[in-house]
Amino acid sequence: MVEEVSTVVDTSRYDYNQKSKTVYLIDDLGRLALVAYDTYWQEYYYTGNSLLVDSFVYSDYTKKVFKYLGNKCIEEMAVWDSGESRNDVRHIAHNYKDLPAETFDGCWRTHIEYDDYGRIVSERNFSEGKFCSNVVYEYNSQGDRISERWGHQDALWLPTEYAYYEYEYDYEGDYWTTNRQYRVHENGERVLWLQTTRKIFRKSDSTPQ
């Protein structure tokens, strides 16, 4: 079991300070089996002893099912407890490591690029052939994400801004992770918007203070 205790500070609201706890359960093969947050939970199921995810089951008992062609995920489908289903995403192209390189959900088409370690380094989103947004990721030597930059063709707040996230880690024992989210103006000015501090308890007998 791994516990994550988070504190979120909204700098635009001086009195906003929210704390929460998320619990992760790991199975005997080191795979993520359950994520629980407040009254929300999500279970993971796999195909045999592999790392290929067969399905997710959510706390409202809806399910997301993944279909494969060999090791290539080719489709994601949502299934309700009533038996109704909906095709969410179709993976229409893969790279040489069988990772999805292009996905389509009926509206949004996404192009995904990876580094040599299989980590996503960029995502570009298109609607009806028109570029809409992109995300660029950076990682440190430990393999942890240290930054995200979100850009929009038609931004949700102001067209001259983009969102920037940066992460800091403390790897000594049970470690802290700090995430800062900025709004960045066209002139390069960065304005801190949200700051989240997490402490990761990797030992099953750890008790948050």
Side-chain angles (χ1 to χ4, degrees):
M1 183 177 70
V2 177
E3 288 187 349
E4 174 187 279
V5 177
S6 302
T7 302
V8 180
V9 178
D10 186 341
T11 57
S12 65
R13 297 164 56 186
Y14 69 92
D15 60 342
Y16 184 86
N17 192 312
Q18 181 180 354
K19 291 187 177 182
S20 62
K21 182 172 74 172
T22 304
V23 175
Y24 304 86
L25 295 182
I26 311 300
D27 69 14
D28 293 338
L29 298 178
R31 304 173 302 189
L32 184 61
L34 174 73
V35 177
Y37 170 79
D38 196 14
T39 59
Y40 167 86
W41 52 263
Q42 178 177 340
E43 290 182 320
Y44 294 73
Y45 295 89
Y46 298 85
T47 57
N49 292 330
S50 75
L51 296 177
L52 299 179
V53 178
D54 173 77
S55 60
F56 299 151
V57 178
Y58 302 96
S59 48
D60 61 359
Y61 295 102
T62 59
K63 178 188 283 189
K64 177 165 285 190
V65 178
F66 300 84
K67 294 184 178 180
Y68 296 87
L69 180 62
N71 289 328
K72 297 179 181 179
C73 181
I74 58 174
E75 191 174 346
E76 301 173 24
M77 181 176 293
V79 181
W80 285 269
D81 55 4
S82 63
E84 297 179 359
S85 62
R86 181 188 71 233
N87 186 352
D88 287 339
V89 176
R90 182 173 294 276
H91 301 289
I92 57 179
H94 295 76
N95 67 8
Y96 69 99
K97 292 186 177 180
D98 291 340
L99 296 170
E102 187 175 354
T103 65
F104 183 61
D105 66 359
C107 177
W108 290 91
R109 188 179 299 269
T110 302
H111 296 279
I112 307 169
E113 294 182 0
Y114 303 85
D115 63 14
D116 292 338
Y117 298 98
R119 302 173 300 200
I120 297 176
V121 294
S122 73
E123 296 177 89
R124 293 179 294 150
N125 298 299
F126 299 81
S127 178
E128 297 181 350
K130 179 184 177 183
F131 171 78
C132 296
S133 64
N134 73 293
V135 191
V136 178
Y137 304 97
E138 291 184 295
Y139 302 86
N140 62 16
S141 58
Q142 301 283 342
D144 289 314
R145 186 174 298 169
I146 57 173
S147 72
E148 301 173 31
R149 174 172 169 157
W150 293 67
H152 298 265
Q153 184 70 23
D154 298 303
L156 298 178
W157 42 88
L158 291 174
T160 56
E161 293 183 332
Y162 64 85
Y164 180 79
Y165 304 76
E166 66 178 16
Y167 300 84
E168 295 179 359
Y169 302 90
D170 181 359
Y171 295 102
E172 295 297 325
D174 296 321
Y175 68 89
W176 289 94
T177 305
T178 300
N179 167 226
R180 298 181 181 89
Q181 180 178 348
Y182 296 88
R183 288 179 175 175
V184 184
H185 296 273
E186 193 174 32
N187 62 7
E189 178 187 3
R190 296 200 310 180
V191 179
L192 182 62
W193 185 19
L194 286 177
Q195 177 168 308
T196 303
T197 303
R198 298 182 176 96
K199 189 171 185 181
I200 313 297
F201 297 88
R202 293 185 175 276
K203 304 182 184 66
S204 60
D205 60 349
S206 296
T207 302
Q209 301 297 320

